[in-house]
Amino acid sequence: ANLFLHYGDLLDGAGLRRIIAETNPDEIYHLGAQSHVKVSFEQPSYTANTDAVGTLRLLEALRDQCNGTGKSVRFYNAGSSEMFGMSTPPQNEATPFYPRSPYAVSKVAAHWYAVNYREAYGLFIANGILFNHESPRRGETFLTRKVTRAVGRIAMGLQDKLYLGNLDAKRDWGYAGDYVKAMWLMLQQDEPDDYVIATGESHSVREFVEAAFGEAGLDWRKYVETDPRYIRPTEVDHLEGDASRARSKLGWAPEVTFAEL
Ligand code: GDP
């Protein structure tokens, strides 16, 4: 019993404040969000309330906790490579944001709230700008798990087709375990800062699909169809991160390659 769960909701500021007061944490990793880009076009206000204002609620609770206890609680804020949107790759901490979805707009707002609270109140807040990071625990409606799950089902004869959206988009896909180490490292530094976390290598959705079907000895072209339902009204064409700052300041480097992923 070293892990204790508490009910909370980013829409419930009083509840967040109570959890923080009761647990008196040393570090907070704020990963909560409505994080699906396509869903954010269907539920934009909910996404803003959770991802942007939800972050503000948590920062307000953090500010009061630090004031009340005199303790410097370290706070990690999960930004997103989606904030770069249409900005030309490779993207680093100096690249302007150009968000292309309600999700990304909300994440940009949360990022600037976090910067403002760091500067205004001297709080230890680090912003991670993580590029796509994947693992077996990724939600099944995100590309990587949607594809790998379908490959397994097709190989077992349980499914005939896989319907996808835009195959031309390029993403910088890394392994979530590597990226979580980077989050932790950010909170172990003397000073808080903002960091891009990425592999520096990008691949198209098509390449990902080809590799995943290839693992099972299948030709993806026989199984994959496109369905406009999965096309986003505004797409992010090409994300490729430059994690030089994380390399030099955190000594961080990804360990799992695209092919291994
Ligand atoms: P995102 O990069 O945060 O939006 O992560 P996703 O895993 O949801 O999407 C990665 C890329 O795959 C995006 O460019 C999507 O447009 C593209 N994509 C193509 N077909 C699909 C699909 O059927 N589902 C999802 N989730 N993404 C798709």
Side-chain angles (χ1 to χ4, degrees):
N2 290 323
L3 174 69
F4 299 92
L5 299 176
H6 302 261
Y7 286 97
D9 196 306
L10 286 165
L11 303 185
D12 175 15
L16 297 175
R17 188 174 299 260
R18 189 168 58 244
I19 294 167
I20 290 176
E22 280 177 12
T23 57
N24 187 26
D26 299 310
E27 297 180 354
I28 297 175
Y29 294 83
H30 169 38
L31 312 181
Q34 188 305 94
S35 65
H36 200 284
V37 171
K38 181 67 163 64
V39 170
S40 78
F41 288 98
E42 321 291 334
Q43 301 206 294
S45 312
Y46 172 76
T47 301
N49 199 356
T50 308
D51 300 9
V53 187
T55 299
L56 180 61
R57 291 184 186 102
L58 203 47
L59 289 169
E60 278 286 273
L62 172 75
R63 174 187 169 196
D64 288 352
Q65 178 73 3
C66 292
N67 270 338
T69 61
K71 179 167 151 182
S72 174
V73 183
R74 298 185 169 209
F75 189 94
Y76 172 83
N77 179 51
S80 167
S81 56
E82 288 289 320
M83 300 191 300
F84 294 125
M86 280 298 277
S87 275
T88 311
Q91 295 100 354
N92 67 18
E93 296 82 2
T95 304
F97 296 140
Y98 186 164
R100 292 271 282 175
S101 64
Y103 167 75
V105 172
S106 297
K107 281 286 177 182
V108 170
H111 174 91
W112 286 117
Y113 280 134
V115 171
N116 181 242
Y117 272 59
R118 181 170 68 210
E119 293 173 353
Y121 308 117
L123 301 175
F124 190 112
I125 299 172
N127 285 297
I129 308 178
L130 275 51
F131 283 59
N132 297 54
H133 43 289
E134 314 297 322
S135 85
R137 302 182 66 183
R138 181 64 128 156
E140 291 177 350
T141 60
F142 290 81
L143 183 85
T144 55
R145 278 299 286 130
K146 184 172 170 180
V147 171
T148 53
R149 184 169 179 268
V151 167
R153 289 175 56 85
I154 289 169
M156 298 301 288
L158 299 171
Q159 186 175 325
D160 299 325
K161 293 284 177 196
L162 170 62
Y163 295 93
L164 295 175
N166 179 14
L167 303 181
D168 295 319
K170 288 185 167 172
R171 289 290 181 278
D172 179 332
W173 279 292
Y175 173 56
D178 287 343
Y179 288 42
V180 170
K181 283 183 200 153
M183 296 180 197
W184 178 81
L185 282 168
M186 287 177 213
L187 296 199
Q188 314 313 313
Q189 305 306 303
D190 292 337
E191 299 294 332
D193 205 346
D194 304 332
Y195 297 92
V196 159
I197 302 297
T199 70
E201 195 180 301
S202 64
H203 296 271
S204 67
V205 170
R206 187 178 286 98
E207 283 166 15
F208 184 91
V209 168
E210 189 176 3
F213 277 83
E215 277 296 311
L218 299 171
D219 178 359
W220 69 277
R221 281 165 297 216
K222 291 189 188 146
Y223 306 99
V224 174
E225 309 266 344
T226 49
D227 185 332
R229 217 155 39 111
Y230 299 112
I231 306 274
R232 288 127 192 227
T234 39
E235 172 69 289
V236 169
D237 294 326
H238 191 179
L239 294 176
E240 188 180 305
D242 164 14
S244 309
R245 179 184 288 175
R247 262 176 216 278
S248 63
K249 285 184 70 178
L250 304 177
W252 179 84
E255 285 168 29
V256 177
T257 65
F258 177 73
E260 288 167 340
L261 180 67

